Amino acid sequence: MTDSEHYFDWAATSPGDKEILRQALELTLDDWGNPSSVHQAGKAAKTLFESARESAAKALGVKPSSVFFTSGGTESDHIPLLAVINKMQKGTVLISSIEHPALREMGDEIKKAGCKVAYIPADRDGVIQPQAVTELLTNDTQLVCVMAVNNETGVIQPIKEISQAIKKWAQGRRRPKLHVDCVQAAGKIPFSLTDWDVDSAAFSAHKICGPRGSGILYLKDGENTIEPFLRGGGQEKGIRSGTENVFGALAFGKCLEKYFISQNNPAALASYEAQKKACQEFVNKLASLKGCTIVPASRPQKPDLFSPYVVQAAFKNIPGNVMLRALDSKGFYISTGSACSSRKNSRPVLEAMQVDASLRETAVRFSFGPLTSQKAMDELFEEVENIAKTFNT
């Protein structure tokens, strides 16, 4: 059995919350009907499904009518993009240069459909500045996509400021929609969708101890926001056809209730504050190691710019895959970047930040979760220190 205590790849996936998953499974074993069926078995399942929507909406601080269940973060990212194509409006889509592959690589596909795509540059800290967005806006811009927390560096993007900048630019003209990938933000930083005032947002259950294959698409104005690209049985008010995943929705709703960080969730907020201190200590110790470079280098001086659950660091003379295998042999699990890009041996996020090629080759990602202990982080550092000293004596 894998040792979850020494698991430091939470940005890829998280250990499941066994209590929540078991409870959701038991409920769906009892009420196993198709939620779209009109008989009693279907109605019982529908009641369960809608209770999951209520739970998720309450945790996120939004209206239940704005929550749509999907198969995961990728689908939740794709639906707003595909809606642009469906409208047959040959306008422009802006995608930040540090996006997850779910959005970044879809750029090529929407180009084929006749849309124009522009990539918003990041600064050397990996931040998408509001001015960088507005400089690319044009009268035919349909959609702007900027992730909330970068999955490789942990950089927190200024979403509220970007939203405000777009609105200011759009005075007297049609305003482009703003879509935010919140997959690495939920349960990792405190935020409010209504305060950000975004049009849509994507969430994934398996990043916060929920099951794989369950996601949420938030639409501020409900189903009236989007013309569906894919058609079928009309589930989820036509936004996402397909038989509802009642188990996944139930588990996701409960995970959001338990792990989403807000003033209404004191336990999660306290865990976040403790992790901020633990992460800063971890970053400072890494920065003191000979041959180690924190990526971006400004992180030790700007802790509030980063999620305390993701740290990127490069180690001189140690290729990222070598560090990964060395730690793996000791029972410590990390990654070299996005799991979705692990087979491509490229680091587009670091390239967008103009990180030197030698650092890109030797960079690894340490990512944590609400179950990560201080003791485990201390033990991780000790192993990293031993490996670094072996290569840099």
Side-chain angles (χ1 to χ4, degrees), residues 31-42:
D31 291 321
W32 39 261
N34 187 322
S36 296
S37 298
V38 296
H39 47 60
Q40 290 302 316

Side-chain angles (χ1 to χ4, degrees), residues 99-215:
E99 288 301 299
H100 186 276
L103 279 165
R104 189 178 62 246
E105 296 191 11
M106 271 298 288
D108 291 336
E109 298 305 312
I110 59 178
K111 284 180 184 177
K112 293 175 185 176
C115 294
K116 292 179 287 185
V117 177
Y119 292 94
I120 311 165
D123 64 20
R124 288 186 175 274
D125 284 335
V127 177
I128 301 296
Q129 297 292 350
Q131 184 179 350
V133 176
T134 55
E135 286 178 351
L136 291 176
L137 291 174
T138 57
N139 289 332
D140 73 343
T141 302
Q142 304 291 328
L143 182 68
V144 178
C145 301
V146 181
M147 71 193 323
V149 174
N150 185 261
N151 55 301
E152 294 195 30
T153 63
V155 176
I156 302 171
Q157 302 302 328
I159 300 299
K160 183 176 181 178
E161 290 76 10
I162 290 172
S163 176
Q164 292 172 337
I166 292 173
K167 288 176 187 173
K168 183 177 180 180
W169 175 91
Q171 290 178 355
R173 48 190 161 186
R174 183 190 54 77
R175 180 179 65 84
K177 301 290 187 182
L178 175 60
H179 174 73
V180 179
D181 183 324
C182 292
V183 168
Q184 296 294 342
K188 305 296 177 64
I189 64 168
F191 67 94
S192 166
L193 288 170
T194 54
D195 185 48
W196 282 352
D197 198 16
V198 301
D199 296 287
S200 59
F203 298 85
S204 180
H206 77 101
K207 306 296 187 180
I208 55 168
C209 302
R212 299 169 185 81
S214 183

Side-chain angles (χ1 to χ4, degrees), residues 5-321:
E5 183 181 5
H6 293 129
Y7 179 75
F8 302 102
D9 198 16
W10 282 69
T13 197
S14 63
D17 186 306
K18 294 180 181 179
E19 181 179 354
I20 288 176
L21 296 181
R22 285 171 178 153
Q23 181 184 32
L25 179 59
E26 289 172 1
L27 288 169
T28 50
L29 286 173
D30 289 338
D31 291 321
W32 39 261
N34 187 322
S36 296
S37 298
V38 296
H39 47 60
Q40 290 302 316
K43 290 178 180 179
K46 182 71 170 180
T47 298
L48 273 185
F49 189 67
E50 290 305 322
S51 73
R53 196 188 314 277
E54 295 280 348
S55 295
K58 184 177 181 180
L60 294 172
V62 299
K63 298 178 294 184
S65 60
S66 66
V67 172
F68 298 83
F69 288 104
T70 69
S71 66
T74 294
E75 184 184 5
S76 296
D77 278 333
H78 283 187
I79 289 174
L81 280 175
L82 294 173
V84 172
I85 298 174
N86 194 43
K87 289 180 179 179
M88 299 305 290
Q89 295 175 336
K90 308 305 181 184
T92 301
V93 173
L94 304 186
I95 301 175
S96 88
S97 58
I98 47 86
E99 288 301 299
H100 186 276
L103 279 165
R104 189 178 62 246
E105 296 191 11
M106 271 298 288
D108 291 336
E109 298 305 312
I110 59 178
K111 284 180 184 177
K112 293 175 185 176
C115 294
K116 292 179 287 185
V117 177
Y119 292 94
I120 311 165
D123 64 20
R124 288 186 175 274
D125 284 335
V127 177
I128 301 296
Q129 297 292 350
Q131 184 179 350
V133 176
T134 55
E135 286 178 351
L136 291 176
L137 291 174
T138 57
N139 289 332
D140 73 343
T141 302
Q142 304 291 328
L143 182 68
V144 178
C145 301
V146 181
M147 71 193 323
V149 174
N150 185 261
N151 55 301
E152 294 195 30
T153 63
V155 176
I156 302 171
Q157 302 302 328
I159 300 299
K160 183 176 181 178
E161 290 76 10
I162 290 172
S163 176
Q164 292 172 337
I166 292 173
K167 288 176 187 173
K168 183 177 180 180
W169 175 91
Q171 290 178 355
R173 48 190 161 186
R174 183 190 54 77
R175 180 179 65 84
K177 301 290 187 182
L178 175 60
H179 174 73
V180 179
D181 183 324
C182 292
V183 168
Q184 296 294 342
K188 305 296 177 64
I189 64 168
F191 67 94
S192 166
L193 288 170
T194 54
D195 185 48
W196 282 352
D197 198 16
V198 301
D199 296 287
S200 59
F203 298 85
S204 180
H206 77 101
K207 306 296 187 180
I208 55 168
C209 302
R212 299 169 185 81
S214 183
I216 283 175
L217 172 64
Y218 162 78
L219 296 175
K220 181 176 71 173
D221 296 325
E223 70 273 15
N224 298 322
T225 308
I226 282 180
E227 182 71 19
F229 182 79
L230 300 175
R231 305 286 178 165
Q235 291 90 343
E236 290 299 85
K237 299 181 182 180
I239 294 297
R240 198 269 176 180
S241 290
T243 302
E244 298 92 337
N245 178 1
V246 182
F247 163 74
L250 277 173
F252 198 179
K254 291 300 181 183
C255 284
L256 285 171
E257 283 185 343
K258 184 173 181 178
Y259 296 109
F260 190 78
I261 303 168
S262 73
Q263 294 296 330
N264 296 324
N265 192 349
L269 193 60
S271 177
Y272 167 73
E273 293 296 338
Q275 179 61 23
K276 283 173 64 176
K277 295 178 181 178
C279 184
Q280 185 63 17
E281 180 182 333
F282 180 72
V283 168
N284 290 340
K285 289 194 295 186
L286 284 179
S288 70
L289 288 180
K290 181 180 179 181
C292 178
T293 302
I294 305 299
V295 181
S298 63
R299 175 160 189 164
Q301 291 75 46
K302 302 178 180 179
D304 291 340
L305 186 60
F306 300 85
S307 163
Y309 291 97
V310 179
V311 174
Q312 182 97 199
F315 297 87
K316 186 178 180 181
N317 301 325
I318 313 175
N321 284 327

